[in-house]
Amino acid sequence: MLAKQLLKTAATWVTIAAFAACATTTTPQTQVAGQTPAGAPTVQEAEQFVAEAERQLMEMSERESRIAWVYSTYINYDTEWLQQRSDSAGTQARVQLATRAARYQSLNLSPELRRKIDLLRLSLTLPAPQRAGAADELAAVNTRMASTYSTGRIDYRGRQYTLDELESEMGTERNPARLAEMWTKWHDVARPMRNDYQQMVTIANEGARELGYPNVGDYWLSNYDMPPDQMEQEVERLWGQMQPFYEQLHCYVRSRLSARYGTSVQAQTGPIRADLLGNMWAQEWGNISDIVGPPTRGGYDLTRLLVAQRYDARRLTETGERFYTSLGLPELPDSFWERSQLTRPRDRDVVCHASAWDLDSRDDVRIKMCIQIDADNFQTVHHELGHNYYQRAYQGQPFLFQNGANDGFHEAIGDFVALNTTPEYLVQINLLRRNQVPPAAADNALLMRQALDKIAFLPFAIAVDQWRWRVFRGQIQPADYNTSWWQLRQHYQGITPPGGPRPADAFDPGAKYHIANNVPYLRYFLARVLQFQFYEAACQQAGWTGPLHRCTVYGNREVGERFNRMLEMGQSRPWPDALEAFTGTRQMDGSSMVHYFQPLMTWMQEQNRGRECGWDGENT
């Protein structure tokens, strides 16, 4: 996850501006880009405004990032106090910028100036209204929700568990009663957020309307170089390309779970019980690959390989760095190793959710993780470093263009690299011996492990933001928050909570980090699509002729050179231009994902023959 995306950060409470005068008890008021001139706006005035806004934003960015870093790595009363006031000041500053930028939207501007004006208008995750006290109120509710999530603990089996400990337990526990207990207790942690979330929606929608947008949902969807309704249709088009595969995967996994646990736990038809899927949110199912198969033939256990070679957090991260340097990209600076948080500290609460940071728009890049030595963290490190390398590549752009082509690009970069961590890659880095490489007969097992994470994730990602778009639009009212959440989860994912319907007054959406912290989630869906486009294009450039899923471009500097050209563009051009620079096409397309998984799709269709697939009364 990208922790700081310049103007649009990964969490609302990180969308902050300068916090000067920390010794005072009042929220600092930041004057941004001067006062609005009298009279009709001019192009020259717009140019001066943008130049001053970029200067001030770059100056604010470093201060806001350092406050956010301290809060995330030292959660206590004082850092929450700092965070709230910094958040409030930043929201007010960005509202001023966005409002001032709207003054120039009707002028005949150059393409570059027009793009900067539009980016300033869309510079907030949650815009606060300009009325007195609104920014403080929004900052307070956001920080409360974030802290409730990050400091959450549950009592389980005689002691308290943190979320990262629960995640590990959910991946390995096979007792349905214990799974249901962990799942239920964690989701109950989010219940106190419900009223704060309702308050946040009211305030942020008021702010969006002041900026000329009907609600925050449409404000978020305006970030993709096309109208909001067109972008929403684009998402459904892409989902339609991959939905048939998901339906086959769901059908197959349900049958295996039913065989393992019995029909009293998991029926052979209908939705899947969410807690049985090896993940707290049923968003990725790779942890149950031992149950669903197919059985591996000559496979390997990456976690065991890492443990056997005595990997620690530092070595795991260095291995990820070497992939990028093998493409010709520079080594990470010394400060990365000095300042990153690689493991959970023993003496304090921290935000353990993995994230990548750029604190000064120059060289102070970091990752914040609580690394465990396992296959998932091996992939996560490769992913997070992709954010850092993207950040370093676009340093030469003007400040407003120092971002991903769209937010899906930023997530896709590291995921594309993680796709390259194939058996051949593991051989090249001496984690796997050549005689341990699985034969072709094992391909379906390898593809299943990927599909359980990559394909299973797609409908979850859509459901998360579909819920929020509808909440912000008023189509889902507060009394229906939880009921509508599970209706969408069943519609898109075909899952249901353990123990029957959840209480209507619960707030299960808040049990997910990105909702508690107001991180737009569409980026992760787009990243799933884009990473396979990047991967197929890179393998074609490298001249790979074998099965697509066996390809790695590790060590290919020609691919790295073209890849870096796309990274260096940042957000200076519409995302289709950046996509074309690396892949040769201007449209996001799910066909690369289909190509990657086609052998498994054929196999699952055979396995599902005669089964009643689907979950809403419709067979597929």
Side-chain angles (χ1 to χ4, degrees):
M1 186 193 76
L2 179 61
K4 190 188 79 66
Q5 293 192 48
L6 305 158
L7 293 180
K8 292 182 284 294
T9 63
T12 299
W13 44 269
V14 183
T15 310
I16 52 180
F19 179 66
C22 288
T24 73
T25 58
T26 59
T27 299
Q29 300 296 317
T30 306
Q31 295 298 319
V32 178
Q35 301 299 319
T36 303
T42 66
V43 173
Q44 182 180 8
E45 178 192 318
E47 291 172 343
Q48 292 172 346
F49 162 71
V50 167
E52 178 64 11
E54 285 196 290
R55 184 193 68 77
Q56 292 188 17
L57 281 167
M58 189 166 185
E59 181 179 317
M60 292 192 302
S61 176
E62 182 171 357
R63 291 199 298 270
E64 72 184 28
S65 298
R66 296 195 188 282
I67 291 170
W69 177 266
V70 172
Y71 168 76
S72 296
T73 56
Y74 293 83
I75 301 175
N76 58 38
Y77 173 84
D78 295 312
T79 58
E80 284 187 16
W81 188 93
L82 291 172
Q83 184 70 65
Q84 286 184 24
R85 283 149 182 81
S86 188
D87 190 0
S88 176
T91 299
Q92 291 179 66
R94 284 170 171 77
V95 167
Q96 291 176 37
L97 279 175
T99 303
R100 176 82 181 274
R103 171 176 165 85
Y104 309 109
Q105 61 183 321
S106 61
L107 294 177
N108 184 20
L109 306 174
S110 68
E112 178 175 328
L113 188 58
R114 163 67 58 199
R115 189 162 184 79
K116 289 182 177 181
I117 289 292
D118 288 344
L119 289 172
L120 284 167
R121 292 179 63 221
L122 293 164
S123 63
L124 292 147
T125 302
L126 294 181
Q130 296 191 73
R131 61 178 170 80
D136 289 340
E137 190 178 0
L138 186 61
V141 297
N142 288 333
T143 305
R144 280 200 302 270
M145 288 190 292
S147 295
T148 297
Y149 185 94
S150 295
T151 61
R153 303 283 192 279
I154 72 161
D155 292 319
Y156 175 67
R157 302 192 72 186
R159 72 174 182 89
Q160 286 203 328
Y161 276 70
T162 61
L163 176 58
D164 49 310
E165 291 174 320
L166 286 173
E167 287 187 75
S168 295
E169 289 287 324
M170 289 286 289
T172 57
E173 179 62 68
R174 296 296 180 256
N175 181 312
R178 289 179 180 173
L179 287 169
E181 180 184 357
M182 285 188 284
W183 187 99
T184 301
K185 286 182 174 179
W186 176 254
H187 281 73
D188 287 345
V189 165
R191 186 185 295 263
M193 299 180 198
R194 181 187 180 91
N195 291 336
D196 280 339
Y197 198 86
Q198 180 181 349
Q199 187 178 5
M200 177 276 295
V201 170
T202 300
I203 299 169
N205 271 346
E206 182 184 346
R209 288 191 294 271
E210 287 185 4
L211 296 177
Y213 298 87
N215 56 74
V216 173
D218 287 287
Y219 182 76
W220 286 0
L221 282 164
S222 297
N223 273 298
Y224 296 96
D225 296 304
M226 62 179 67
D229 59 340
Q230 186 178 337
M231 186 60 198
E232 194 168 358
Q233 292 170 13
E234 180 73 355
V235 171
E236 291 298 327
R237 180 188 68 81
L238 291 168
W239 168 233
Q241 288 183 283
M242 294 164 289
Q243 185 176 0
F245 189 103
Y246 178 78
E247 291 172 348
Q248 291 295 316
L249 180 67
H250 181 282
C251 190
Y252 175 75
V253 167
R254 183 181 59 198
S255 71
R256 299 300 301 160
L257 291 171
S258 183
R260 170 64 181 262
Y261 294 115
T263 57
S264 63
V265 173
Q266 176 58 59
Q268 294 180 357
T269 59
I272 296 175
R273 209 177 96 173
D275 60 322
L276 301 180
L277 291 164
N279 176 272
M280 184 64 75
W281 308 278
Q283 68 181 57
E284 293 169 329
W285 306 348
N287 287 327
I288 61 167
S289 58
D290 60 310
I291 295 177
V292 304
T296 57
R297 300 175 184 176
Y300 59 89
D301 184 325
L302 179 54
T303 296
R304 289 184 180 178
L305 293 174
L306 293 167
V307 172
Q309 295 200 22
R310 298 184 179 179
Y311 268 68
D312 58 16
R314 171 77 181 233
R315 186 179 176 190
L316 202 70
T317 309
E318 289 173 339
T319 301
E321 178 195 29
R322 280 196 295 274
F323 189 100
Y324 292 90
T325 57
S326 82
L327 300 180
L329 304 182
E331 292 183 353
L332 293 165
D334 291 343
S335 59
F336 172 90
W337 302 103
E338 295 164 359
R339 301 169 187 171
S340 289
Q341 175 190 292
L342 300 183
T343 58
R344 175 189 275 275
R346 296 181 179 180
D347 61 341
R348 62 187 186 271
D349 285 322
V350 299
V351 179
C352 258
H353 190 88
S355 55
W357 296 65
D358 174 13
L359 279 82
D360 65 356
S361 302
R362 293 183 296 276
D363 289 319
D364 194 352
V365 293
R366 312 176 189 180
I367 59 172
K368 177 186 59 58
M369 293 182 63
C370 298
I371 293 175
Q372 313 244 350
I373 306 307
D374 57 32
D376 286 344
N377 278 266
F378 185 81
Q379 298 279 332
T380 300
V381 164
H382 283 76
H383 167 88
E384 295 301 336
L385 292 180
H387 291 303
N388 287 150
Y389 274 97
Y390 205 170
Q391 290 159 339
R392 299 194 79 196
Y394 55 54
Q395 285 178 1
Q397 292 289 348
F399 185 84
L400 286 170
F401 294 156
Q402 291 183 16
N403 208 341
N406 67 39
D407 53 9
F409 273 66
H410 234 303
E411 297 299 330
I413 296 304
D415 284 341
F416 148 65
V417 168
L419 284 174
N420 283 270
T421 59
T422 59
E424 177 60 30
Y425 168 66
L426 300 181
V427 169
Q428 292 188 44
I429 64 172
N430 298 316
L431 255 177
L432 192 68
R433 295 191 303 273
R434 178 68 63 183
N435 63 5
Q436 292 178 302
V437 173
D443 278 5
N444 280 334
L446 296 172
L447 286 172
M448 177 63 78
R449 181 61 177 82
Q450 285 277 56
L452 289 169
D453 285 343
K454 303 292 187 180
I455 300 292
F457 177 82
L458 297 171
F460 171 79
I462 296 176
V464 168
D465 268 2
Q466 275 287 356
W467 181 82
R468 287 193 288 197
W469 297 338
R470 296 179 192 192
V471 167
F472 284 125
R473 289 168 177 162
Q475 295 167 330
I476 295 175
Q477 293 298 307
D480 300 320
Y481 276 173
N482 217 54
T483 301
S484 295
W485 170 253
W486 283 107
Q487 288 172 346
L488 283 167
R489 298 291 300 278
Q490 180 163 329
H491 171 71
Y492 280 106
Q493 287 185 273
I495 65 167
T496 191
R502 292 282 291 159
D505 63 348
F507 190 62
D508 293 341
K512 178 62 182 168
Y513 173 91
H514 300 76
I515 289 180
N517 291 274
N518 292 299
V519 184
Y521 213 69
L522 180 57
R523 66 188 64 172
Y524 302 106
F525 174 82
L526 299 178
R528 286 297 197 272
V529 176
L530 288 166
Q531 67 186 259
F532 285 92
Q533 276 192 268
F534 294 160
Y535 180 69
E536 186 171 40
C539 291
Q540 290 171 349
Q541 293 164 26
W544 180 262
T545 57
L548 181 58
H549 55 274
R550 290 267 182 162
C551 169
T552 185
V553 297
Y554 177 73
N556 192 308
R557 291 182 173 243
E558 292 181 9
V559 170
E561 183 179 350
R562 188 165 178 176
F563 178 56
N564 198 51
R565 285 202 297 270
M566 176 181 71
L567 301 185
E568 289 176 339
M569 293 172 68
Q571 202 172 14
S572 63
R573 303 282 300 169
W575 63 260
D577 293 355
L579 183 63
E580 185 177 31
F582 186 49
T583 69
T585 182
R586 297 179 59 81
Q587 185 180 50
M588 289 185 285
D589 188 2
S591 65
S592 294
M593 183 178 275
V594 172
H595 298 159
Y596 184 95
F597 287 110
Q598 187 57 54
L600 181 61
M601 176 67 162
T602 301
W603 182 85
M604 285 195 302
Q605 286 172 327
E606 287 295 322
Q607 297 298 308
N608 289 334
R609 191 180 302 277
R611 289 177 179 150
E612 184 179 335
C613 296
W615 54 83
D616 283 328
E618 296 181 3
N619 294 343
T620 58

